[in-house]
Amino acid sequence: MMNELLDFILLREANTRYVVAGTVLLGLTAGMLGSFTVLRRRALLGDAIAHAVLPGVCLAFMFTGTKDPFILLVGALISGGLATFFMDVVQRNTKLPPDVVLALVLSVFFGIGIFLLTMIQQSGMAAQTGLDKFLFGQAASMMGRDVVLFGLIGGSVLFILFIFFNPLKLISFDPAFASSVGFHVFRYDALLTALLVAAITVGIQAVGVVLMAALLVTPAVAARYWTEDLRVMMWLAGAFGALSGWLGAFASYYIPGLPTGPCVVVATTFIFATSMFFAPERGVMARWLRHRQTGRRIMRENVLKTLYQLHEEVPEKQLFTLHDISEKRFFVPQELALCLRRLVKEGYVRQAERGYLFQQKGWEEAIRITRLHRLWEVYLAEHLAFPDDHVHADAEAMEHMITPELEEKLRQTLNHPLHDPHASPIPYNNSASTST
Amino acid sequence: MSMEFEIIFTAVMVATACALVGTFMMLRKITMLADAISHAVLPGIVLAFLLTGSRNVLPMLIGAGLLGLLTTWLTELLRNRGRVNEDAAMGTVFTFLFAVGVILISLFSRQVDLDQDCVLYGEIAYVPLDLETHLGLTLPRAFWQTGGVLLLVVAFVGLGYKELKLCAFDPAYAVSVGISTVVWHYALMSVVSLVTVSSFESVGAILVVALIVAPPATAFLLTDKLRWLLGIAVGIGGLSSVLGYYVAAYYNASIAGGITVVLGALFLIVFLFAPDNGLVIRWQKGRRTPQSVVAEPSR
C-alpha cells in the first residue's frame, strides 16, 4: 500500500500523471462553474446538456468518418448549444413546467444520439469504438493532449468566470432584482450556459455523461455549507472537485478494474455528506446543537422563574423540593431533573439535602427573567390594549427573546412600572439575594 | 404471432404505462424524478443479481423499487434536513447511486450478466426470443412482465383517479378534504419506480424518461382536460412505438432510439403546428392582429 501510494503521489508513471492531472483539472473547473449554476437553481441543466451532446458527437463522426476528438468536440458543442436553444424556445412559448422541458430535451436528444450510435454500430464503421467514451467516460485512457485540452478549456472557463464575476454573482443570487435594475439577465444566463456546454463537452470524455453532471452539482452544494461568500464558495467547490478527482483517480489506480469516473463521484458525495453533517453554522449537527442549546436555555429560564415565583409566594421559604416545583408548573419529570442537574453544575442553584437553594447567579437570572416577563405583560396591556387575562401566554414566549437593549427601551417606554397587570411586583433589584 | 408484432405490442404496453404515470408526474412537477430514478435504480438491479445469482425478475423489481423509493426519500431528506434546493438534491443523490451501480458492475462483472449497453439501449429486440409459460400460455416473458405492470398502472390510475387529480391540481384542497398528499406522492413514486424498472429492460434507462415525459408534454400543448391529456398521451406513446419500430428497422438502429426519434418529431410538429398554441399559428396571428384590428370597424 505504502509503495503504491508513494508511486501515485509522486506521479511516477506517465499514465497516472495524465489521469490525475485530467481529473483534478476537471474537478476544479466543474466545481467552480457549478457554484453559479447551483445558486441559479439550474443544477440539473448540466445533466441535460451532458446527455444532449451525444447526437452531435455521432453526427460529427458520420459526416467526417474520423474520431478525431477535436472534430467530435465541435459536434458536441453544436449539439449542446442547440439543446439549450430548444429548451429556451420551448420554455418561452409553452406553458410546460421547466422540469418537463429539461427532461424532454435531455431524453429526446439522448434518444436520438442512441439511435445514431446504433446506426453507426450496425453499419460496421469499424472506427466507432471511440464514441462509447462519450457515454461512460474513460479517464484511464487519457493522454497528454487530452490534459492540455482540459487545461485550455478549464483555464478559459475560469478566466471568463473571473472577468464576469460580478454580473454572474448578481444573476445567481437575485435574478429578479438584476432585471429590475435593467440588467440583461438573459445575456449572462447565455454566457453561463455557454461555459457549461464547453466544460461538459470536454469533461464527459473523461467521466461520462451522468458523472459529469455530478461534478457540476455536488462539490458546489458541499461548498455552500461552509460559507456565505460566493468567492469563497467558488474556490472551495473547486478544491472539493479537485480533491475528489484526485481521490477517484487514486481509487481506480489502487484497485484495478475500478472505473475512475464513478470513484470521483463517490468521493465527491462523501465530501458532500461530511459537509452536510459537520459544517459549522449551516451543517446539520451545528443546527441541531444550536437548537438544543436554545431549548436548554428556555428550560433553564423557566425553571429559575418558577423557583422565583415559589419564593415570592412564601418569602421565608429558601429550600425548594422537586415536588414544590412540579406543583407550581408542569415539567416533564426527567427533563426537570436533568435541567436541575445542569443548573447545579453551572452554579445557578445549590443542592442541599432536601431541595434546591438559589445561588447568586441563579437569583439574578431568575429576577431578570421574571422582570422581562412582567414588563412584557405591562407593555401588551398598556400599549397594545391586550386584555389582562390574555397577556401571560404571549409573555411566556417573549421573555426568552428580549435583548438587553429591548429591555431598556421597554423600561423607558413604560416608565419603570412597579407592578404587572396581575398586580405582581416587578423585581428590579438584582443584588438583594435572600439565600446565600 | 410474428416477431414484429410481439416487439411492437411490448413497446405499446410500455409506452402506455409510461404515458399514464408521466401525465401525473408532469402535473405534480416531478418529472425530473423519473430521470433521477431511472439512473438510481441501477445499484438495486445489480445487488438483486448478486444476491440471487439469476436474472429473475421479481428480486430485480424489488431491488430497483427499493432504490427508487430510496432516491425519493433521500432527495426529500436533503431538502428538509440539509436545506438543499430540490434540483441540486436530486442531482446529488441520483448521480451518487448511479456511480455506485457502475462501480458494482465493474467490480462483479464476472458474476453480473449485465453490461453497460443493456442499461442504455434496452433489449426490446430480443423480446420474442425469451418465452415463459403461465396459465398454460406460452408468451414472451416481456408480455407477462410489462402486461402485469400495465394492468397495475391502469388499476392505480382508475381507482385513484380522483385523488391523483386533486393532488395534482389542488394539493391544499386535497389535504382539506382528508386526502393525504404524502401517501399519494409515495404511492405515485412507487408506481413510477415499478414502471421505470420494468421498462428498463426493454427500452433502457434514459429512453424510459423520454416515454414518461414526451407524450404528456406533447398532449399538454393540445389540451388542458385531464381525461383528454391521459388519452392523447397514451395515443402519442402508442403511435410513437409503432412508427419508431419501423423507423428503427429502416435505418437498422436501436428500436428504443427509433421510438424516441418519433417522440421528438411528434413533439416538434405539435409545438410548431398545434391549432391553438402552435408557434406558427401564433406567429401568423401576431402578424395578422394589427390588420384585423384595422379591418374590423368597417364591417
Side-chain angles (χ1 to χ4, degrees):
Chain A
M1 167 91 196
M2 267 330 282
N3 239 338
E4 276 151 328
L5 186 62
L6 267 180
D7 272 354
F8 185 79
I9 291 175
L10 300 174
L11 303 172
R12 280 183 189 149
E13 291 165 33
N15 186 39
T16 324
R17 229 171 285 158
Y18 295 139
V19 174
V20 171
T23 48
V24 166
L25 268 173
L26 187 62
L28 180 78
T29 314
M32 290 183 130
L33 189 54
S35 303
F36 291 96
T37 46
V38 164
L39 288 177
R40 187 80 184 82
R41 301 195 170 213
R42 297 213 165 150
L44 292 176
L45 185 60
D47 183 37
I49 295 174
H51 282 88
V53 300
L54 187 60
V57 174
C58 294
L59 283 175
F61 175 76
M62 286 166 93
F63 281 127
T64 64
T66 65
K67 51 173 186 171
D68 180 344
F70 288 97
I71 290 175
L72 299 186
L73 276 186
V74 173
L77 217 53
I78 294 172
S79 184
L82 206 61
T84 56
F85 170 74
F86 264 117
M87 269 187 255
D88 196 57
V89 170
V90 173
Q91 190 68 73
R92 277 163 195 271
N93 291 295
T94 65
K95 59 197 167 173
L96 292 172
D99 67 324
V100 168
V101 177
L102 202 67
L104 183 77
V105 169
L106 179 159
S107 58
V108 169
F109 267 69
F110 193 75
I112 295 171
I114 293 287
F115 182 80
L116 297 171
L117 191 64
T118 44
M119 253 173 90
I120 295 169
Q121 282 169 346
Q122 302 291 340
S123 68
M125 289 164 101
Q128 52 89 12
T129 40
L131 299 183
D132 290 17
K133 232 167 85 167
F134 279 86
L135 294 177
F136 293 102
Q138 278 177 344
S141 69
M142 226 168 329
M143 293 186 302
R145 69 174 199 169
D146 293 323
V147 176
V148 172
L149 188 66
F150 279 20
L152 280 177
I153 303 267
S156 16
V157 166
L158 296 187
F159 182 67
I160 295 172
L161 278 186
F162 281 110
I163 289 188
F164 293 103
F165 181 81
N166 283 327
L168 288 176
K169 178 178 173 181
L170 191 61
I171 64 157
S172 302
F173 278 108
D174 202 342
F177 171 75
S179 74
S180 77
V181 295
F183 208 77
H184 296 286
V185 174
F186 175 71
R187 269 186 219 167
Y188 290 101
D189 263 344
L191 176 69
L192 204 54
T193 311
L195 295 180
L196 214 49
V197 173
I200 288 168
T201 318
V202 284
I204 53 171
Q205 291 193 80
V207 293
V209 168
V210 176
L211 309 175
M212 187 62 217
L215 279 183
L216 283 164
V217 178
T218 316
V221 179
R224 184 72 186 87
Y225 282 107
W226 299 88
T227 177
E228 306 264 311
D229 185 329
L230 179 60
R231 227 173 259 275
V232 180
M233 176 177 164
M234 235 175 104
W235 283 109
L236 209 53
F240 286 163
L243 179 64
S244 352
W246 190 87
L247 286 172
F250 177 67
S252 64
Y253 170 81
Y254 187 62
I255 303 169
L258 220 51
T260 314
C263 290
V264 175
V265 175
V266 171
T268 186
T269 311
F270 180 74
I271 294 176
F272 159 78
T274 314
S275 307
M276 172 171 152
F277 283 105
F278 302 113
E281 307 257 333
R282 299 173 61 93
V284 170
M285 282 281 278
R287 273 192 287 125
W288 180 75
L289 281 176
R290 263 205 310 278
H291 186 77
R292 197 181 65 164
Q293 232 168 20
T294 313
R296 281 185 177 178
R297 183 174 60 83
I298 290 176
M299 179 79 182
R300 179 184 74 208
E301 291 175 352
N302 283 339
V303 170
L304 287 173
K305 195 178 62 179
T306 310
L307 289 177
Y308 181 83
Q309 286 163 350
L310 285 169
H311 167 75
E312 210 173 30
E313 280 170 14
V314 192
E316 31 319 329
K317 193 164 172 170
Q318 306 270 324
L319 198 65
F320 311 102
T321 63
L322 270 178
H323 182 73
D324 293 335
I325 302 173
S326 3
E327 287 255 288
K328 180 76 189 157
R329 177 182 176 141
F330 174 76
F331 290 106
V332 178
Q334 295 92 326
E335 282 178 14
L336 179 61
L338 259 174
C339 177
L340 281 166
R341 215 174 303 154
R342 274 199 305 272
L343 285 176
V344 172
K345 216 173 85 187
E346 290 161 18
Y348 287 96
V349 297
R350 195 150 54 82
Q351 188 167 21
E353 228 170 284
R354 313 191 45 195
Y356 295 89
L357 298 153
F358 270 122
Q359 296 265 51
Q360 183 65 28
K361 187 175 164 192
W363 175 248
E364 282 168 17
E365 184 66 4
I367 283 186
R368 188 182 69 87
I369 209 73
T370 312
R371 183 172 66 238
L372 293 180
H373 180 93
R374 292 180 181 167
L375 276 173
W376 189 253
E377 285 186 333
V378 176
Y379 178 73
L380 283 182
E382 283 186 8
H383 285 258
L384 300 182
F386 266 55
D388 289 353
D389 54 343
H390 278 61
V391 294
H392 177 78
D394 193 74
E396 271 298 310
M398 270 308 285
E399 68 195 22
H400 306 293
M401 320 280 175
I402 293 175
T403 57
E405 294 80 25
L406 185 58
E407 185 195 345
E408 195 47 47
K409 205 89 188 150
L410 273 178
R411 280 210 222 179
Q412 283 170 13
T413 312
L414 301 172
N415 205 10
H416 302 277
L418 294 175
H419 293 279
D420 74 1
H422 317 296
S424 305
I426 297 177
Y428 287 105
N429 192 354
N430 279 355
S431 57
S433 166
T434 51
S435 61
T436 44
Chain B
M1 269 190 294
S2 68
M3 281 174 57
E4 197 174 75
F5 173 78
E6 284 174 355
I7 294 173
I8 293 178
F9 191 66
T10 309
V12 170
M13 285 198 291
V14 171
T16 307
C18 286
L20 288 175
V21 292
T23 304
F24 288 105
M25 294 184 79
M26 176 178 75
L27 295 174
R28 297 268 293 134
K29 299 194 169 60
I30 49 174
T31 301
M32 276 308 274
L33 257 178
D35 180 46
I37 288 180
S38 72
H39 287 94
V41 293
L42 191 59
I45 293 175
V46 180
L47 283 177
F49 270 138
L50 287 175
L51 291 178
T52 63
S54 72
R55 287 191 81 140
N56 209 335
V57 182
L58 196 64
M60 201 179 94
L61 281 182
I62 295 172
L66 287 180
L67 256 293
L69 287 179
L70 182 71
T71 311
T72 317
W73 181 74
L74 278 178
T75 307
E76 290 290 312
L77 186 80
L78 289 200
R79 277 181 67 189
N80 298 334
R81 297 272 154 198
R83 301 194 179 175
V84 181
N85 284 340
E86 186 176 16
D87 57 342
M90 225 187 294
T92 306
V93 171
F94 86 79
T95 52
F96 168 69
L97 291 173
F98 185 77
V100 171
V102 175
I103 290 179
L104 284 176
I105 290 184
S106 25
L107 280 184
F108 300 99
S109 52
R110 256 174 256 143
Q111 288 99 305
V112 181
D113 176 26
L114 183 84
D115 54 5
Q116 297 180 329
D117 283 358
C118 157
V119 176
L120 284 178
Y121 313 140
E123 298 176 329
I124 201 166
Y126 306 127
V127 161
L129 305 178
D130 192 359
L131 302 174
E132 219 173 76
T133 309
H134 289 288
L135 313 164
L137 279 171
T138 302
L139 291 171
R141 191 166 60 89
F143 274 30
W144 297 106
Q145 191 183 321
T146 46
V149 171
L150 177 61
L151 276 182
L152 197 122
V153 171
V154 170
F156 176 70
V157 172
L159 294 175
Y161 184 78
K162 197 188 94 191
E163 286 82 357
L164 286 169
K165 185 178 177 180
L166 276 180
C167 290
F169 285 109
D170 197 346
Y173 177 70
V175 170
S176 75
V177 295
I179 297 169
S180 168
T181 46
V182 176
V183 168
W184 282 97
H185 177 70
Y186 275 93
L188 180 61
M189 290 326 295
S190 310
V191 175
V192 169
S193 308
L194 194 68
V195 170
T196 314
V197 175
S198 68
S199 318
F200 195 88
E201 242 196 318
S202 33
V203 295
I206 292 96
L207 307 182
V208 179
V209 182
L211 282 175
I212 284 180
V213 63
T218 313
F220 205 36
L221 301 183
L222 294 169
T223 181
D224 285 331
K225 298 218 161 42
L226 182 56
R227 271 170 209 282
W228 282 99
L229 208 54
L230 288 167
I232 296 176
V234 169
I236 288 171
L239 182 66
S240 308
S241 307
V242 179
L243 292 180
Y245 174 83
Y246 290 108
V247 170
Y250 184 79
Y251 287 102
N252 199 8
S254 138
I255 296 169
I259 295 173
T260 320
V261 169
V262 176
L263 283 172
L266 285 180
F267 178 84
L268 198 64
I269 292 170
V270 172
F271 175 62
L272 291 176
F273 302 111
D276 290 334
N277 300 307
L279 206 59
V280 172
I281 303 288
R282 281 204 305 184
W283 180 66
Q284 280 183 341
K285 264 191 209 156
R287 272 206 328 181
R288 237 183 259 145
T289 318
Q291 292 164 357
S292 63
V293 167
V294 177
E296 228 141 85
S298 67
R299 232 179 1 174

